[in-house]
């Protein structure tokens, strides 16, 4: 479906399914997205500022330069997505999964990535300044120039990273 620039701000989208939707620049600011899934969607420059969702899925999506600042997506899945240049500043991503996700030049500063799975994620130039990665899994994550200044990496697994 064609949804570029659509405004879903503060909408309650419970158990919705978006498949191969083109939603570039769509607004989900303050939206509630519990159990909602986006599969193979183009969410380039979409705005999820302060959006919330538990078990939200963004699988194999394009999230280039998307704005997820101060969002809360606990136990959510961003697996196999391209989030190059996305802004996750101060987002609560506790126990979320970023398996095989491209996070090049993404800003994860001050985010809560408590027990997050970043296995095989691409992290070139990713900024984790002041982020909490307590117990996070970074097995086989790769990329040059990731910034972990003042990040909490206690009990994290960095095997073959």
């Amino acid at each position: 479906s064609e949804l570029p620039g659509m405004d879903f701000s503060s909408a309650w989208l419970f158990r919705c399914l978006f498949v191969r939707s083109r939603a570039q620049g769509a607004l989900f600011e303050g939206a509630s997205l519990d159990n909602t899934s986006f599969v193979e969607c183009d969410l380039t420059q979409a705005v999820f500022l302060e959006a919330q969702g538990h078990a939200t899925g963004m699988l194999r999506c394009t999230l280039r330069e998307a704005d997820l600042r101060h969002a809360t997506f606990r136990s959510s899945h961003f697996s196999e997505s391209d989030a190059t240049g996305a802004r996750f500043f101060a987002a609560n991503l506790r126990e979320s999964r970023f398996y095989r996700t491209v996070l090049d030049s993404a800003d994860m500063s001050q985010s809560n990535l408590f027990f997050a799975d970043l296995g095989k994620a691409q992290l070139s130039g990713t900024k984790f300044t002041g982020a909490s990665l307590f117990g996070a899994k970074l097995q086989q994550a790769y990329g040059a120039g990731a910034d972990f200044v003042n990040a909490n990496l206690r009990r994290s697994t960095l095997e073959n990273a």
Side-chain angles (χ1 to χ4, degrees):
S1 53
E2 299 288 329
L3 305 169
M6 283 284 221
D7 192 347
F8 295 97
S9 295
S10 300
W12 188 48
L13 301 166
F14 179 72
R15 289 192 176 171
C16 293
L17 177 62
F18 296 82
V19 180
R20 290 184 287 284
S21 298
R22 291 191 220 184
Q24 304 95 326
L27 301 175
F28 294 91
E29 186 171 343
S32 179
L33 300 161
D34 287 343
N35 296 299
T36 290
S37 292
F38 298 85
V39 181
E40 297 178 4
C41 294
D42 186 351
L43 298 164
T44 301
Q45 296 181 333
V47 177
F48 292 89
L49 183 69
E50 297 181 349
Q52 298 179 36
H54 182 285
T56 302
M58 295 188 192
L59 308 169
R60 295 180 303 282
C61 290
T62 301
L63 290 156
R64 287 176 164 264
E65 299 177 13
D67 186 353
L68 295 100
R69 290 174 297 150
H70 302 281
T72 299
F73 286 114
R74 293 184 62 181
S75 301
S76 294
H77 293 267
F78 298 85
S79 296
E80 297 183 25
S81 291
D82 180 357
T84 300
R87 294 178 305 260
F88 292 90
F89 179 84
N92 184 353
L93 304 163
R94 181 185 178 112
E95 298 172 349
S96 288
R97 192 155 196 232
F98 293 87
Y99 183 76
R100 298 185 79 149
T101 299
V102 178
L103 292 164
D104 292 343
S105 301
D107 185 2
M108 308 288 273
S109 298
Q110 297 182 31
S111 290
N112 178 2
L113 291 155
F114 185 87
F115 283 103
D117 181 358
L118 291 114
K120 296 187 179 180
Q122 191 170 313
L123 307 174
S124 293
T126 306
K127 190 173 179 182
F128 291 100
T129 307
S132 175
L133 290 117
F134 183 96
K137 298 174 189 169
L138 290 102
Q139 287 107 326
Q140 298 179 32
Y142 62 97
D147 179 354
F148 290 94
V149 172
N150 293 322
N152 177 2
L153 289 157
R154 279 182 274 173
R155 297 193 181 172
S156 292
T157 305
L158 292 107
E159 180 182 339
N160 295 320

